[in-house]
Structures are given as C-alpha cells and as structure tokens.
Amino acid sequence: MTETSRSRVWLGRTARAASGLVALGLTVVVVAAGTRAPAADDSTVAATRVPVPPSATTLVCPGPLILPDDTGRGDSAFDPTPVAPISTLAALTASPSGAGTVAPLDGSTTWTALKAGGDAIKVPSVAGPSVVRVQPTEVPARVAATGSGLVTAGDLRGLAAASCQLPAGDAWLLGGATDLASTAQLVLDNPGTTPAEVALEVWGPNGVVDLTGERYLVAPGAERVVSLGGIAAEQRRIGVHVVATGGRIGAHVQDSALDGFTPGGTELVVPGVAPAARQVVPGISVVASTVDDPDAPLLRLLAPGGMATTAKVTLLGPAGVYELPGADSVALGAGEVTDVPLGGLPAGSYTAVVDAGQPVLASSVMTRPGSIGELDDHPSVERAWAATAQPGGGAAALPPGTQGTLVLGAVSSAADASDGGSATGHLRLIGAGGAVLAERTIHIPAGTTSSWTLDELAAGTGDVVPTDPAAVPVPRAGVLGVDLAVDGGAVTLAWALVAEVPRADGTLFSVLDPVPAGHTAPDVPVREDARLGTR
C-alpha cells in the first residue's frame, strides 16, 4: 500500500469515528432534554400521608394426629390406637373483625364461614390441615383458632392441641426427642400458592446435629412430614430451626413417648419466639412433685448461635418470685440442648423468665399422672409443652369439650422481671356465635402469676373475680375463647390458656399460646417528584 493510500484509509476511519461521536452526543442531548432537572424547591413539596389498609389474617391449623404404622394390625389387645382419635377445629373472631372462612389447606372447598363482627364455630371430624382466613375492618381482625386431637387410650393417649399459627418463613421449635422411647414427626403445611423449599437445622444434647443438607419441597396447599428420627436419631432432647424460601409455612412437631407399653404422652410442639437475650415462657401449670421425680416438669434451654453462655432463670409464681436452686446461673454449652429440672415446685401456675448473655431459646414440659393399664407396670403419663411467647394482647380458642384456665404472668421490662407496679388487662370471654359472655379488667402485680378458670371469669363482676364458679357455669359443648387487650407500660402480661379433660384414668391437657393481635401499619408519606413530569 502506498503512502497516499494509507492516508486515505486513516482519514476515512477518523471521519467515521467523528460521525459516531457526533451521533452519540446528539443521543445524549435528546435523552437529557427529555429528563427535567429537579426543581430547586423539590424538598419543600408537602408529603401526603397515605393510609395502608390492613390485610386479611391467615392462620394455619394442624390436622389429625399421625398414627403409628402398625395401627390396626395383629392382636387387637396390642393395637397402638384401640380408639379412634377425635380431631376438631375451633375458631373464633372478636369485634372488630370482618367475615371469614374455614377451609382445607388446599382451598378446594369451604368448610364453614365466620360472620363479620364476631363469631365462634367448631368443625368436628377434621380430615386434614386447614386454613382460617378472616378479613379486616379498618383494623386487623382479632381471630384465634385451635386444632386438637383427643386420644383416650393407646400409644397416643393424650390431648394434643395447638393454636393455629400465622404462616412464616422462619420457625424455631424446642421440644421432643428421637431416642428409642420417643417419636418426633416434623409437620410442614404450605397454605400458599407457590412451592416452599424448606431447610432444617437440628440441635441435640451434644450440639449441632450433622444433617445431609437435604432440602424439602412443600407443594402449594400440601403437607409434608419429616421423621426427625430418620435425620437426627438417638437425640434425648432436640431443637429445630425451619427456614422456608419461596413461600410461608406452618410448622409443628408431633412428640410422643412410650415407656415399654405404657403411654408417656402425645403433644404438639409449636414455634416459639426467635432466639433472644430474654425469653418468657407462660402457662407453666404443674402438680406437686418431688425433686427426684422422673416425671417432674422441666425447662428446656438452647443457645443456638455457636457461643456458650450463662442464663438466669426467674420463676414468677402466685406469691412472687420462687427461688429455684441453681437458677441464678445455668451454664449453656454452645448449641447444646439443656434441661433444667423443676421438680419440687409447689402445685400451681408459673411464668418462666430467662435472661442470658447470648440469644437463647426456651420452652417447658409439664406432666399429669395417669392410671395403670392392663398391660402397664406403672401409671401412664400425660405431657404438655409450653413455648415462649411475646407478652401482649391476643386471642385463644379452647378446644370443644375441654375446661380452660387462663394463666397470666406480669413481667417487667426492667432487668429484674419482678420490678415495677402492676400490669392491666381487659378481657372478653367469647362464646358460641361470637357472643360476649363476660368482660373483665384484671390487675396483676409485677413478678407474679395469676390464674382463673373460665368459669371463675364468667362469674366475676368488674375487677372482682370470685373463687366460686357455681354462679355462672360455662357451656362445655360449644366454642369458648378469650380475647385479651393489654395496657402499655413497663409491666406487661405474658399469658396462655391451659385446656384440660378430666378423666377417671387421669387428666389430659395442653397449653395454648395466644394468637397475637394484629398491628395497624403506619401511614406511608408520599411526595410528588417533579422529575417524573407529573406537574
């Protein structure tokens, strides 16, 4: 190529590059011209506060109990379930609430409706997990529901009941075991319209249990059961962390125990509060026991964060703080599930407050003695688990055919949980059809736990709650529940509802955490943006 040719090529390339730069410059000018510069006074534009309407409340309810694999096989004298479980659902709403529905988990039909303004219904012979959905008014609905299974004989003997729960993507469950005498089934329910992928973490007495890393897919409107004994065998104490992505789920553990052929109780372990430096366990209802009683109540603790810590346990009883030997300093190994014996406690109702140097989990298990069966060497035992709960208002529904006792602990927000004045609660006793059977105002001194049967609450007047329930008996056949509002302040109420079925062969019972009252979302400030060309 000659020198003249090279010059022409170079000049051509330069001209094309220059024309490209000019075109790019014109494009930038055009785009910039289409975008208005912010006005100097944009920051002075007044914001309009737009209210955020409340959404419907959705609760996921447990279905029937999972029966042993050998049910109905072989000699009927050794049938693990000689009587059929009675599965029921109780649901109630309190004013103000919109209309609602009770439906199976897959939403294929509607079992029954809840009328607006308050209602209470029961669904007998529940065939599977269910969903209670209630519309709001100007504020979120006040709603509660309870799923229960009653078994009066056999391996699953007991009252296994749990409050229906708000679906969540994160759940912490502390209770149960997978040793040879125990069975623990993790039940996952997906009420949504998208699949949920679930990952698990499990802790035992010696720390974190090494799992395979398997994830569990729960289809929309479906239930999946994971045998914890299959993935974390031979654990005398367990804690489980459930993490769901893609959808929110309900989770519980069906925990049952056998001592040879003797029933050791069946109960549903439900999620408690996420790990925190302070945990409160309400509804600890105990009968008299000795220090060395193998069936004495226990407080279960876990520090899941990978660091050891020390916890202080404060028991708030009817007369104030009960001094529990060794409770001022309970050593918790990193990730080690630890049981603190509560044997020797006087019979009554208690609230446990746990303060630790690291975030911890807490729960409690209680027992009731039964009678000796034909094939038993010693009396059967009934058990109930109580989970941690956030102090405050909410509602709880009593399973049909049971007797209820309301247990309230007044907990101070100070470092000493017994400091301060008193807590005040305003409760409504809700009956069939949503009728308000009674309204009461209750004052409880800080650092104490009080309890009343629902009969006593129905018979009381104003602030006075008599001890004689004969005046106004509460119906047993219909749905009954409590709706509680708690005054704000440094001392608040942590509470639970204890459901009991008295029988000749021993009392069956469960502890029901309240469904928290919904909160109204704050208004959202909206300001006009001049750059969008809206003015």
Side-chain angles (χ1 to χ4, degrees):
M1 180 182 292
T2 65
E3 188 67 27
T4 302
S5 300
R6 289 194 189 93
S7 298
R8 288 186 183 136
V9 170
W10 184 85
L11 288 174
R13 290 176 178 173
T14 302
R16 286 193 298 272
S19 62
L21 289 174
V22 170
L24 177 62
L26 290 174
T27 302
V28 171
V29 170
V30 170
V31 172
T35 304
R36 291 182 55 182
D41 62 346
D42 269 358
S43 61
T44 64
V45 176
T48 301
R49 302 198 68 85
V50 178
V52 178
S55 58
T57 300
T58 299
L59 301 178
V60 184
C61 303
L65 292 172
I66 302 168
L67 302 182
D69 292 336
D70 53 349
T71 295
R73 300 178 185 173
D75 191 334
S76 60
F78 296 93
D79 190 340
T81 52
V83 296
I86 301 173
S87 301
T88 59
L89 173 68
L92 65 85
T93 59
S95 178
S97 294
T101 58
V102 180
L105 186 67
D106 61 9
S108 58
T109 186
T110 297
W111 285 340
T112 188
L114 291 159
K115 68 177 187 291
D119 203 356
I121 57 93
K122 70 173 181 178
V123 180
S125 304
V126 173
S130 56
V131 173
V132 176
R133 187 169 284 111
V134 181
Q135 298 299 321
T137 55
E138 293 78 12
V139 295
R142 300 188 71 89
V143 57
T146 298
S148 62
L150 176 64
V151 183
T152 56
D155 292 0
L156 299 183
R157 176 185 178 273
L159 174 64
S163 293
C164 304
Q165 55 189 276
L166 298 165
D170 191 86
W172 297 82
L173 305 103
L174 187 61
T178 62
D179 56 10
L180 291 177
S182 305
T183 302
Q185 306 269 19
L186 175 64
V187 182
L188 306 170
D189 294 317
N190 181 0
T193 57
T194 58
E197 188 179 57
V198 175
L200 303 179
E201 293 179 280
V202 178
W203 293 265
N206 299 316
V208 178
V209 179
D210 186 16
L211 304 180
T212 62
E214 181 179 357
R215 292 175 176 267
Y216 304 91
L217 190 66
V218 187
E223 177 176 88
R224 181 157 187 178
V225 178
V226 179
S227 172
L228 294 178
I231 63 173
E234 293 301 311
Q235 304 295 324
R236 290 179 292 113
R237 303 180 290 272
I238 57 171
V240 182
H241 183 205
V242 178
V243 179
T245 55
R248 295 176 179 267
I249 62 167
H252 69 269
V253 172
Q254 180 177 313
D255 168 48
S256 57
L258 275 177
D259 185 358
F261 291 106
T262 304
T266 296
E267 180 61 301
L268 305 183
V269 179
V270 299
V273 178
R278 167 170 281 190
Q279 294 281 15
V280 180
V281 185
I284 301 176
S285 175
V286 303
V287 295
S289 63
T290 60
V291 173
D292 58 351
D293 188 341
D295 296 321
L298 298 167
L299 186 69
R300 180 162 292 185
L301 303 174
L302 168 63
M307 294 183 64
T309 189
T310 300
K312 175 184 177 182
V313 177
T314 305
L315 283 178
L316 310 181
V321 176
Y322 181 85
E323 297 297 335
L324 185 69
D328 284 344
S329 182
V330 179
L332 300 178
E336 298 177 0
V337 182
T338 302
D339 281 348
V340 179
L342 300 180
L345 274 180
S349 299
Y350 297 84
T351 303
V353 180
V354 181
D355 293 293
Q358 297 290 331
V360 296
L361 301 172
S363 64
S364 180
V365 64
M366 300 139 275
T367 62
R368 296 286 190 271
S371 61
I372 299 179
E374 294 180 2
L375 302 176
D376 301 334
D377 296 326
H378 46 271
S380 60
V381 175
E382 163 70 330
R383 293 181 303 142
W385 284 96
T388 51
Q390 290 285 9
L398 193 67
T402 66
Q403 299 177 9
T405 300
L406 181 65
V407 179
L408 306 103
V411 182
S412 171
S413 59
D416 183 346
S418 61
D419 276 355
S422 64
T424 300
H426 309 276
L427 68 87
R428 293 181 291 179
L429 195 61
I430 308 297
V436 178
L437 304 180
E439 296 186 58
R440 302 286 174 256
T441 298
I442 294 178
H443 305 283
I444 301 177
T448 66
T449 297
S450 297
S451 62
W452 294 276
T453 68
L454 298 193
D455 286 319
E456 290 169 337
L457 292 172
T461 56
D463 291 351
V464 180
V465 181
T467 57
D468 180 10
V472 184
V474 172
R476 302 281 175 229
V479 175
L480 195 65
V482 172
D483 176 55
L484 180 69
V486 179
D487 289 356
V491 183
T492 188
L493 293 174
W495 63 285
L497 193 59
V498 179
E500 294 183 322
V501 179
R503 290 177 49 84
D505 61 350
T507 297
L508 309 179
F509 77 125
S510 282
V511 179
L512 305 170
D513 281 345
V515 177
H519 297 286
T520 303
D523 294 348
V524 176
V526 176
R527 180 177 287 110
E528 185 180 20
D529 191 337
R531 290 171 295 181
L532 299 179
T534 57
R535 68 173 186 178

